[in-house]
Amino acid sequence: MFDNLSEKLDKALHVLKGHGQITEINVAETLKEVRRALLDADVNFKIAKDFTNSVKEKALGQNVLTTLQPGQLMVKLVKDELTELMGGDAEGINLSGNPSVILMSGLQGSGKTTFSGKLANYLKNKKTKKPLLVACDVYRPAAIDQLHVVGEQIGVEVYSDRDNNDPVAIAKAGIQHARANGHNVVIVDTAGRLAVDEEMMAEISDIHKAVTPEETLFVVDAMTGQDAVNTAKAFNDRLDFDGVILTKLDGDTRGGAAISIKSVVNKPIKFIGTGEKMDAIDVFYPSRMADRILG
Ligand code: GDP
């Protein structure tokens, strides 16, 4: 994960980690390298610039050059800043409803259906949760089939209605079904499109209004870098979602999406997807991610 970025940051901070005497020039040079590494990882220019400016300010504020181990302090400042940028503390999901409704949104191919299954499996394994998956993609019969396959794989019931082409009605009926059958979590999988369009946004907004979910999650493919951030922004403008799910972090991603998305939409990343299998799901912990990035 983020191998390239880790390598570049390691190289940038190498001088500070090993150098006997650290000067203002070392620090400035290092921060320049850090900024370059972030830009190469597809972090937005302004975010990368603000990042290094903030680290610089903190370094000056703490008189970094006069401390006993200035190199280590600088590394810590970079790590703290990275953690802060990615969201600070880990954020859980709201499961206070009965049933709790979780609405999944995102573009087609982002990994929504796969993640719906992973989340259902994750919650089912918590023992106190009995999830129901609801198939609201009325445009692609294959999407309904896919959710059924996932449901079967993890032993979670799937509610669908192939004769109904109204996703709002299906979502509502799914929640009714959950109530009647003792499901305390309902995960609503919706239709995506290849790009953000008005019809999709209107549909997901209508479902959102009708089912008033405890959690609305936006799923995005981390491989798409700054596009992921732009799509998040477009969805957030219309949907006001609660959290981001970053998928495909097992691939050769550069890291830009993970690093920038929180500060652009001001919504936390809640989970990450790290593979195609149903157990490839992790809670997103900003500080652990920063540790991984900094090696
Ligand atoms: P949807 O159209 O948003 O419902 O997307 P899907 O759930 O169908 O996922 C699209 C493709 O991405 C499928 O081939 C999934 O197996 C794959 N996929 C989903 N999540 C991940 C992930 O975390 N890692 C990898 N490598 N592939 C994933």
Side-chain angles (χ1 to χ4, degrees), residues 107-114 118 140 146 247-248 250 273-276:
L107 292 182
Q108 190 177 314
S110 59
K112 250 186 325 326
T113 302
T114 307
K118 288 179 184 177
R140 296 187 309 133
Q146 189 190 346
T247 64
K248 310 190 193 181
D250 50 311
T274 55
E276 296 188 76

Side-chain angles (χ1 to χ4, degrees), residues 198-216:
E198 180 48 37
E199 208 181 338
M200 171 181 61
M201 293 315 304
E203 179 177 308
I204 187 88
S205 303
D206 285 348
I207 301 174
H208 186 266
K209 259 184 232 141
V211 305
T212 55
E214 270 71 25
E215 276 285 332
T216 303

Side-chain angles (χ1 to χ4, degrees), residues 51 54-55 58 76-85:
F51 183 94
S54 173
V55 173
K58 283 175 189 156
K76 184 181 177 304
L77 290 179
V78 170
K79 195 205 147 197
D80 289 351
E81 195 67 25
L82 209 47
T83 304
E84 196 51 38
L85 189 58

